[in-house]
Amino acid sequence: MRSACLALTLGLAACGQQPDVVPTQSAAAEAKPVATGSAQVAMPEKPFQALGTEPFWAVEVLPGQLRYSDPENIAGTAFAATESREGSGLRYSGMLNGQPISLMVQPGTCSDGMSDTVYPWTAVLTKDGHRLQGCARKR
């Protein structure tokens, strides 16, 4: 089984494709799936933007701060934020109008659902106790 997985992996690599699974060291262990295409995507350098639809929101990520905007606050509100690594992604946390807010950005292709734009990162904004799905891109 291990040699079959290795042959499949080498065959896909020769064709320029990434395998859906990575063979493990132990033949008894299960192969673990990995995201294809997104594993090599580096995290964005600042400034970058995360955005979502329904409801519409945007967060500009700047050094040491975030700027949150929505249709009712187009200019946006800037506030201090900390950055921490979580797994393959980055979490930005701060306080907006006295309430905690966080933005989690991870590698992975993403669609905003309203255009043909494909973004290189996914985003989840947690604000006012709600989790809002979105995408992120270099600004």
Side-chain angles (χ1 to χ4, degrees):
M1 179 67 174
R2 183 175 174 188
S3 61
C5 288
L6 182 58
L8 177 62
T9 301
L10 293 174
L12 288 172
C15 295
Q17 297 176 347
Q18 295 291 327
D20 288 336
V21 294
V22 176
T24 60
Q25 295 291 50
S26 167
E30 284 187 29
K32 296 181 181 177
V34 295
T36 58
S38 64
Q40 267 90 30
V41 176
M43 294 305 295
E45 292 182 25
K46 296 171 201 76
F48 69 91
Q49 179 186 47
L51 54 106
T53 59
E54 299 187 30
F56 289 95
W57 59 270
V59 175
E60 186 175 10
V61 179
L62 303 161
Q65 69 176 358
L66 301 177
R67 178 180 300 277
Y68 172 81
S69 61
D70 60 28
E72 295 165 3
N73 180 9
I74 294 172
T77 302
F79 56 95
T82 60
E83 176 184 299
S84 60
R85 179 152 300 273
E86 286 190 21
S88 63
L90 295 173
R91 180 174 301 278
Y92 300 90
S93 302
M95 298 292 283
L96 175 63
N97 299 326
Q99 297 294 314
I101 185 171
S102 73
L103 176 70
M104 182 68 188
V105 179
Q106 295 185 298
T109 56
C110 184
S111 171
D112 61 16
M114 297 191 78
S115 70
D116 292 332
T117 304
V118 176
Y119 300 85
W121 300 283
T122 63
V124 175
L125 178 68
T126 304
K127 179 183 176 291
D128 299 329
H130 296 95
R131 288 174 47 93
L132 305 172
Q133 301 291 324
C135 303
R137 65 180 171 198
K138 184 73 178 127
R139 187 107 168 123

